[in-house]
């Protein structure tokens, strides 16, 4: 189960991860944006964001843009489309994309047609901007958590294999998602 209060506190952090995992934008690629305002971040997340900044700090924007495009736009092995790893282009993928679109709309966001609903930055943006907090249907977010958990598992394995700098961001994301889950003790859930 997802802990709504913790996820709500981490909205801005998921927004930050969304921006950093999206196509590079000068506005977000600076030390202050990456390493500050992390009061709700887990300690390991801070460390991973610091590692990512170490990669970025000596690069020009066009170099980061080129690296990003080469990393994510031309290979299926490092896809930012989270359902691809499980379904590739099977019919089930279309069904999951439709479920995600419905989920976004249910909580007040209209998914733009230029991106598929399983695009990782879009999914994280939903956690930041969606109107899901205090909604009785909140646990429906479990679907998107599951999609991200599955997709980032494979993405992270491929990034680690290549010692890719974006692995730090995916690691940070996985840490934050895990921190939003209600912890189990024995067979009963506790918050």
């Amino acid at each position: 189960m997802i802990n709504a209060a913790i996820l709500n506190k981490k909205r801005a952090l998921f927004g930050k991860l969304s921006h950093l995992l999206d196509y590079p934008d000068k506005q977000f690629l600076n030390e202050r944006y990456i390493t500050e305002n992390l009061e709700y971040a887990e300690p390991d997340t801070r460390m991973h964001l610091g590692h990512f900044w170490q990669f970025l700090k000596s690069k020009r924007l066009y170099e980061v843009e080129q690296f990003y495009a080469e990393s994510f736009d031309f290979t299926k092995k490092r896809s930012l489309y989270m359902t691809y790893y499980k379904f590739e282009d099977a019919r089930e993928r279309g069904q999951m994309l439709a479920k995600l679109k419905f989920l976004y709309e249910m909580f007040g966001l209209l998914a733009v047609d230029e991106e598929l609903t399983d695009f990782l930055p879009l999914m994280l943006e939903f956690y930041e901007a969606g109107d899901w907090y205090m909604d009785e249907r909140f646990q429906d977010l479990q679907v998107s958590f599951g999609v991200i958990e599955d997709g980032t598992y494979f993405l992270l394995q491929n990034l680690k294999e290549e010692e890719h700098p974006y692995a730090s961001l995916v690691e940070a994301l996985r840490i934050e998602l895990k921190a939003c889950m209600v912890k189990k003790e024995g067979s009963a859930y506790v918050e």
Side-chain angles (χ1 to χ4, degrees):
M1 287 177 59
I2 302 167
N3 184 316
I6 292 175
L7 182 58
N8 192 51
K9 285 181 181 179
K10 293 179 179 282
R11 278 181 186 263
L13 181 56
F14 283 109
K16 182 183 297 245
L17 290 168
S18 171
H19 294 303
L20 296 175
L21 285 163
D22 207 345
Y23 189 79
D25 183 329
K26 186 177 183 177
Q27 173 180 343
F28 306 115
L29 297 181
N30 61 72
E31 183 175 19
R32 186 173 187 188
Y33 182 78
I34 294 171
T35 62
E36 291 184 6
N37 300 319
L38 297 173
E39 58 272 3
Y40 295 113
E42 302 300 309
D44 285 346
T45 295
R46 291 185 188 100
M47 176 193 67
H48 287 298
L49 289 173
H51 289 163
F52 186 68
W53 172 245
Q54 291 303 311
F55 157 72
L56 282 180
K57 72 180 185 180
S58 63
K59 307 273 187 272
R60 297 193 181 279
L61 179 60
Y62 75 88
E63 293 173 311
V64 179
E65 290 171 337
Q66 182 178 5
F67 183 76
Y68 182 92
E70 290 170 358
S71 296
F72 301 112
D73 292 347
F74 304 115
T75 178
K76 294 176 181 180
K77 188 176 179 183
R78 292 183 302 270
S79 177
L80 292 175
Y81 294 93
M82 296 292 92
T83 61
Y84 181 80
Y85 295 99
K86 187 172 184 177
F87 301 117
E88 292 189 6
D89 290 323
R91 185 181 65 185
E92 293 87 0
R93 183 173 185 214
Q95 293 169 345
M96 183 56 74
L97 294 173
K99 281 183 187 179
L100 290 170
K101 182 177 182 182
F102 178 75
L103 182 71
Y104 300 158
E105 290 173 355
M106 184 168 68
F107 292 110
L109 291 181
L110 296 176
V112 291
D113 290 334
E114 61 191 53
E115 271 314 337
L116 295 175
T117 55
D118 67 338
F119 184 56
L120 184 56
L122 176 65
M123 296 182 82
L124 299 177
E125 185 180 320
F126 167 68
Y127 295 147
E128 179 186 33
D131 191 19
W132 44 259
Y133 189 60
M134 303 300 279
D135 189 299
E136 62 188 30
R137 305 164 298 178
F138 170 76
Q139 286 304 323
D140 289 348
L141 266 65
Q142 198 71 40
V143 170
S144 63
F145 263 61
V147 168
I148 293 174
E149 172 66 26
D150 286 349
T152 58
Y153 173 81
F154 293 105
L155 175 60
L156 183 59
Q157 300 314 308
N158 294 334
L159 292 171
K160 280 182 166 181
E161 194 176 282
E162 301 169 16
E163 297 181 17
H164 198 285
Y166 275 84
S168 294
L169 294 180
V170 178
E171 287 266 24
L173 169 57
R174 290 178 60 83
I175 290 165
E176 293 303 322
L177 287 175
K178 186 176 181 183
C180 292
M181 299 302 292
V182 175
K183 309 289 188 274
K184 257 189 170 181
E185 281 187 16
S187 60
Y189 284 99
V190 293
E191 291 190 53

